[in-house]
Amino acid sequence: MTHRGAIRQSPDLLNLNLSESTDKIIAEYIWIGGSGMDMRSKARTLPGPVSDPSKLPKWNYDGSSTGQAPGEDSEVILYPQAIFKDPFRRGNNILVMCDAYTPAGEPIPTNKRHAAAKIFSHSDVVAEEPWYGIEQEYTLLQKDVKWPLGWPIGGYPGPQGPYYCGVGADKAWGRDIVDSHYKACLYAGINISGINGEVMPGQWEFQVGPAVGISAGDQLWVARYILERITEIAGVVLSFDPKPIQGDWNGAGAHANYSTKSMRNDGGFEVIKKAIEKLGLRHSEHIAAYGEGNERRLTGKHETADINTFKWGVANRGASIRVGRDTEKEGKGYFEDRRPASNMDPYVVTSMIAETTILWKP
């Protein structure tokens, strides 16, 4: 009998409700490993329910095993930062998003949350209440061949066209994973606002937001973690590669929709134009921080602008920055930065957009 088959025989054990017999809860501590994209987690028992991250104990892990510390001084300290309900264990059990520090209290180099939190706590940024909506695209791959779900092994499906928001056994693959993820995120307390099938078959998207400031990064990382866990159960590989299949196939991005209080108020369109102008002046710095391998995606084809070109337009999906028709018509609203790759770090991207548009003086 396979391991997975054995578990199937005892779902009652997996679904045990701890609150019937104990006040103790399980807290799954989540952090980001040395590559900047590998999510790690481990669990511990706590004496009772917790809803405030500051009431949770700090913890540590072996950083030499995650590429984040040398073997002779390998201890890295986890600081709990945000709590979510655990959709896998349920009850009062929780998922805990953490960031990582040296024993002396210095953020380790891969801790991108620490610098982002500084920007988001700046009084000028706080006053502007930056809102984010992040469109996370991803690709589901067959485990043993690392080829998209639903594609013939070593071959290709019919050309793009019928798959975007598609329905049917020959057009949509992986919907059970996508729907499970959608509900699990809502259960966890993540402000997931929608899902859809993407242009390339086997590729999907979920949207997180609106979320304010640092919570956009926390929510997106935990949504990624939950998706990674669901694909693990399904025996499917999750890829955030910005261009998983070369050729005439759409890449995968993580478009960032953004607005400040000034942009949402009357006269906001002028504020938006000034913000976009600043983003254009720092285009190369943003591109450098917007995800590995993005040059394979930002080719000027497949609904992207060329990586070396900065342009914006109303309702233009081939632009670096797109402004919606509604925003233009109402004279206020938000804009969409279409440059971030699917493997971007949301702490980096959200804080950088806030820093450039609110704090930076050209």
Side-chain angles (χ1 to χ4, degrees), residues 13-16 26 28 30 85-91 93-95 180-181 184-185 187-188 222-233:
L13 285 180
L14 269 178
N15 298 325
L16 271 181
I26 303 171
E28 188 80 32
I30 301 166
K85 285 166 70 70
D86 185 339
F88 303 101
R89 295 189 177 108
R90 301 180 207 169
N93 304 302
I94 53 176
L95 303 176
S180 301
H181 176 250
C185 284
Y187 178 93
V222 175
R224 283 174 169 178
Y225 174 83
I226 291 171
L227 183 56
E228 191 87 73
R229 287 278 302 272
I230 290 170
T231 53
E232 173 193 318
I233 294 162

Side-chain angles (χ1 to χ4, degrees), residues 118-119 122-125 278 354-361:
K118 271 193 182 151
I119 290 167
H122 189 290
S123 56
D124 293 358
V125 177
K278 286 168 116 183
E355 204 240 340
T356 295
T357 58
I358 300 169
L359 300 177
W360 185 61
K361 305 280 190 284

Side-chain angles (χ1 to χ4, degrees), residues 131-184:
W131 288 8
Y132 297 90
I134 300 171
E135 304 171 32
Q136 175 70 70
E137 295 178 345
Y138 60 94
T139 309
L140 298 172
L141 304 176
Q142 301 168 57
K143 185 159 77 88
D144 296 327
V145 290
K146 301 283 173 72
W147 198 237
L149 208 60
W151 290 36
I153 291 173
Y156 296 86
Q160 295 183 158
Y163 311 110
Y164 172 69
C165 299
V167 182
D170 57 344
K171 295 180 274 303
W173 294 289
R175 193 184 297 277
D176 53 344
I177 291 169
V178 174
D179 259 3
S180 301
H181 176 250
Y182 195 174
K183 286 184 171 176

Side-chain angles (χ1 to χ4, degrees), residues 243-259:
K243 187 77 175 180
I245 305 293
Q246 293 308 306
D248 202 14
W249 303 97
N250 272 36
H255 302 158
N257 297 277
Y258 171 71
S259 69

Side-chain angles (χ1 to χ4, degrees), residues 256-269:
N257 297 277
Y258 171 71
S259 69
T260 60
K261 194 186 264 185
S262 307
M263 294 174 191
R264 297 188 291 270
N265 289 341
D266 290 343
F269 196 42

Side-chain angles (χ1 to χ4, degrees), residues 315-333:
N316 181 359
R317 291 181 188 279
S320 318
I321 306 280
R322 180 183 70 87
V323 175
R325 284 254 178 258
D326 286 354
T327 298
E328 182 188 42
K329 196 168 82 200
E330 291 171 26
K332 59 186 176 184

